[in-house]
Every structure is written in structure tokens, then in C-alpha cells.
Amino acid sequence: MLIHCTMDELIAIRDARGSKTAKEHLENCDECMMEMERLYQTVAAMKALPVLDAPRDRWDTISKQVVAERRAQNKSFFGWAGLAAAAVMALLVGVQTGMVSHQPEPDDRVVTLMEQSQSLENILREIKPHQKVLNGRVASTVVRIEDEIRLVDDRLSSMRRQRAPSVEDLEILWGERVRLMDQLVIVRSNRATYVRF
Amino acid sequence: MGEMQSALIAIDDIAIQRAKDGEMDALEQVFRAYQTTVYNTARRICRTAEDAEDVLQETFLEVCRSIASLRGEGTPSLTSWIRRIAASKALMKIRREKYRDADEFDEEFQGATSDADTALRMDLETAMTQLGDTARAVVWLHDVEGYTHEDIGEMMGKTVSFSKSQLARAHKKLRVWLNGGATC
């Protein structure tokens, strides 16, 4: 009994990975050769489908959103810079009035933590998986960590509004931020982050 | 892939570098150069024009946010990078929308017509819309855009065999709907 090539076999031959047996059959079978020809024609027709134009120009919406995101980032950066300056000022005032002992300098630790946080932000930007998308489980972890970071940022923002924020509190919050950013980098970089169907 | 490339408007290396530096007019040039390519990929994978427009927007937002970190120089790397983002966003879209074939990918046939209607010849565009979302995405990405089964499996979080079997099933369906008669 003559066994014709299956669609899988025809596609495999077309893609140069077909079995020897299937290739030999194809060469000697008009019916399978015709099927192969149909396959080529279908793909050629797909490639020849008309090019479609997007019905609306989306650039205006995109550019507005990009500009808004950049403003928010700048605001956040300058907010942190202001917070750092406030922390250093508060410490200087403390030193001048003899309120601060000669223990390891907490402002140094805050500044170090801020630098660490900034470095982690840069790493995150570098590893941003633009060619990948997150699977559901990893995505929910990312969302949870990002929510926690937002909470820390809110608390840092409210401290910024205080006249003399506590350096110790700043250190705790920035330490927490670094810890969360570190987790985010690990999740983003180590996990196989592809969409799961 | 060649047909899609023909829709491109030329963009030079200086404009690409300026876009990487975040200059909005250069980013707009990138958008103008690639919007048709991205929209067509999205439109052929997604079910509706609205979804394809969303994918277009999401793709270029991602491009604007991440272009500074793009490795490689010149138009070819930018092109493959943008096309890959578009494909990923479109796959995300069909997943998010949870169309009717959410989990069972062998439910390709979604229209009122049955395989038995072999006398009825469909045109290719109609036949493509009758395929399930995943099968349609695989056949488009593999046969038209030139992605390998490895690429497709990776983007979908599935195996290479999954991609191969989706492609074969899609062609079996198309064979019946376009030409009539039995499948291989």
C-alpha cells in the first residue's frame, strides 16, 4: 500500500529537515509533489497579501506618553537628590550642634544606599527584557516587588516634605529599597521570562 | 519577510543614534519607518484591527523606552529588534484576550463552516481568520516572517515540537479550506 507524505513530512522537506524516506517518496509520487506545490503556493499567497496601513496615526499618543514618563522619572530622580541633600544638611546641622556622635557616618550610609539603588536601576534598564515577555508567575512576583518599591518611594516622598527627616529612617527606607531592587534584578535576569500559553 | 521589508522607509545610522539618545524627532522617524511593518505583523496575528493598533502602540512605547539599551548597530539590528518586540507584544495580546482557544490549541476552527464544506472555497484572508489564534500566529511568524520554530517556541514559552505541530495543523486546515479535498 502506498503511504503518502503527511503534512508534517512535506513541511519538514520544504524546511530542509525531511527524512530520506519521505524525500524519496516525494520524488516518485505525483500526488505528494502536487501537495508540495500547493504548500508553496499557499505560503506565496500569504506573503503576497496586501500591506495594511494602520487606520489612525498613533505617534501623538505615543510621544505624549513617552514625554510624561520622562517627566515622572526626572521628578523622581530630583526628588531623591533633594532628599539626599536634605539628609546631608540635617546631618551637618547635627554635627555643628554637637548632636551627632563620631560613630560611622549615617549620611555616608544613606548616600551609599542611594548609589546602590541607582546602580540597580541602571542594571534593570540594561536587562529590561524587551525581547521577552513575562510568564504569569514571574509577572505577579515582579508586580508585587514593584508595588513594595512604590510603597517605599511614597514613604520617602513624605519624608522629603519634612523639614528635618531622620537620617536613621532614611537609612532604613533606602536599605529596604536596595533590598527590593536587588530582588527585582534577580527575578528579571534569572528567570526564563517568556509568555506562557 | 522580503515583502514586509519593502514597506520600510529608509532610516539612517545617524537617526538611529539620535533615537538612542532619546531625541523625539528621531524616535518619530523610527516610528514612521517601522509602523507599517509592525502594524502588519500585529494585524496578521491579532484578530481585530483594534488589537493590532494596541500592539502598534505598545511596541513603540517599548521601543522608545528601551532603544538606548539596543546592542548592535545599523538598520538590520534595529529592524529585527523591533519586529521581535512586535511579535512578542502581539502574542501577549492574543494571550491576554483569551480568545476562544485559550488552552486547547487544537481548536483551530472557530467559524461556522466545517471541514466537510470542501466545496466552499475560501479566500486566503478569510481562511487565516478562521484559524485559531495560536495556529495563525505560528504560520505567520514561521512561513511569512521567517522565524524558526526555536524562536517561536521561545516567544510562546512552548516547545519546538509544539510550534511544528501547530504549523502542520494550520496547513492541513488551510489546504482543505483553500483547495478542498482531503488533507495529507
Side-chain angles (χ1 to χ4, degrees):
Chain A
M1 191 177 110
L2 186 64
I3 299 172
H4 292 300
C5 291
T6 63
M7 186 60 81
D8 304 67
E9 285 169 333
L10 290 174
I11 292 171
I13 294 168
R14 181 198 66 175
D15 296 346
R17 52 179 175 80
S19 70
K20 194 181 166 193
T21 319
K23 277 184 209 165
E24 281 171 1
H25 172 82
L26 179 66
E27 281 167 15
N28 298 301
C29 176
D30 290 345
E31 223 171 300
C32 287
M33 199 61 97
M34 196 177 289
E35 286 299 332
M36 182 63 106
E37 182 55 31
R38 283 199 182 109
L39 182 61
Y40 277 115
Q41 282 174 6
T42 302
V43 174
M46 274 194 273
K47 289 181 176 176
L49 282 172
V51 172
L52 304 166
D53 288 321
R56 284 171 292 181
D57 189 340
R58 289 282 181 127
W59 176 248
D60 197 38
T61 313
I62 294 164
S63 61
K64 277 180 185 158
Q65 191 164 335
V66 170
V67 169
E69 285 176 9
R70 284 181 184 176
R71 278 194 192 131
Q73 275 179 351
N74 288 342
K75 203 173 164 186
S76 170
F77 174 78
F78 287 118
W80 293 344
L83 197 59
V88 172
M89 280 302 291
L91 197 82
L92 285 174
V93 170
V95 169
Q96 282 175 349
T97 55
M99 289 165 61
V100 177
S101 66
H102 293 288
Q103 299 293 317
E105 302 292 345
D107 66 321
D108 285 346
R109 292 202 295 269
V110 171
V111 170
T112 305
L113 287 168
M114 290 177 74
E115 285 170 355
Q116 284 174 357
S117 179
Q118 189 59 49
S119 302
L120 289 164
E121 294 253 10
N122 291 339
I123 292 168
L124 260 184
R125 265 194 288 274
E126 284 296 312
I127 63 171
K128 195 168 185 179
H130 52 258
Q131 295 179 343
K132 308 167 186 176
V133 285
L134 299 171
N135 71 38
R137 190 178 299 166
V138 177
S140 70
T141 307
V142 167
V143 168
R144 181 183 57 74
I145 297 170
E146 286 177 346
D147 282 347
E148 288 182 38
I149 291 171
R150 262 191 287 279
L151 280 175
V152 171
D153 285 349
D154 287 347
R155 290 171 68 191
L156 283 167
S157 294
S158 67
M159 284 190 76
R160 196 172 65 229
R161 289 191 288 274
Q162 295 171 14
R163 283 194 177 177
S166 153
V167 178
E168 286 73 22
D169 288 348
L170 280 175
E171 189 180 346
I172 291 167
L173 285 175
W174 277 106
E176 180 64 4
R177 195 174 201 283
V178 167
R179 187 185 67 77
L180 291 167
M181 288 294 296
D182 198 38
Q183 279 184 8
L184 198 54
V185 168
I186 290 166
V187 171
R188 283 282 199 191
S189 57
N190 288 356
R191 296 303 181 110
T193 53
Y194 298 103
V195 65
R196 211 156 252 300
F197 274 70
Chain B
M1 211 181 323
E3 288 74 10
M4 302 303 293
Q5 296 278 15
S6 67
L8 286 179
I9 297 166
I11 182 162
D12 60 40
D13 289 355
I14 296 167
I16 294 172
Q17 188 51 55
R18 287 177 53 238
K20 282 183 173 185
D21 293 337
E23 292 181 33
M24 291 305 290
D25 65 317
L27 287 168
E28 183 176 359
Q29 276 188 56
V30 172
F31 173 80
R32 301 279 167 224
Y34 288 96
Q35 63 171 334
T36 304
T37 301
V38 169
Y39 180 73
N40 275 269
T41 297
R43 188 66 194 91
R44 295 300 177 195
I45 292 175
C46 297
R47 185 160 302 172
T48 67
E50 289 75 24
D51 285 348
E53 280 193 274
D54 288 347
V55 169
L56 175 70
Q57 186 168 321
E58 287 165 19
T59 299
F60 281 101
L61 278 172
E62 185 69 41
V63 167
C64 291
R65 289 177 191 134
S66 308
I67 194 167
S69 62
L70 171 65
R71 295 201 181 103
E73 294 190 354
T75 313
S77 70
L78 181 67
T79 304
S80 65
W81 180 63
I82 291 176
R83 288 177 59 244
R84 180 94 178 199
I85 296 174
S88 286
K89 296 284 181 193
L91 293 174
M92 279 267 276
K93 188 75 181 175
I94 61 174
R95 182 202 174 211
R96 270 205 303 268
E97 294 300 322
K98 291 189 189 300
Y99 290 134
R100 275 169 274 184
D101 58 348
D103 292 314
E104 293 301 322
F105 293 107
D106 53 356
E107 296 296 325
E108 287 108 353
F109 188 70
Q110 297 177 344
T113 318
S114 76
D115 283 359
D117 295 332
T118 49
L120 181 67
R121 299 285 196 277
M122 290 185 198
D123 66 73
L124 181 59
E125 292 217 42
T126 309
M128 291 290 285
T129 63
Q130 298 294 326
L131 288 172
D133 295 322
T134 304
R136 186 173 59 250
V138 170
V139 80
W140 187 263
L141 291 174
H142 185 274
D143 284 355
V144 180
E145 303 232 358
Y147 286 96
T148 63
H149 288 297
E150 285 77 9
D151 290 332
I152 295 166
E154 190 181 55
M155 282 193 280
M156 288 185 162
K158 290 284 184 183
T159 61
V160 169
S161 313
F162 174 83
S163 177
K164 284 180 184 173
S165 71
Q166 284 294 309
L167 184 67
R169 287 178 187 192
H171 275 297
K172 278 185 205 170
K173 294 284 184 187
L174 292 173
R175 161 76 179 80
V176 173
W177 296 337
L178 296 171
N179 304 109
T183 56
C184 292

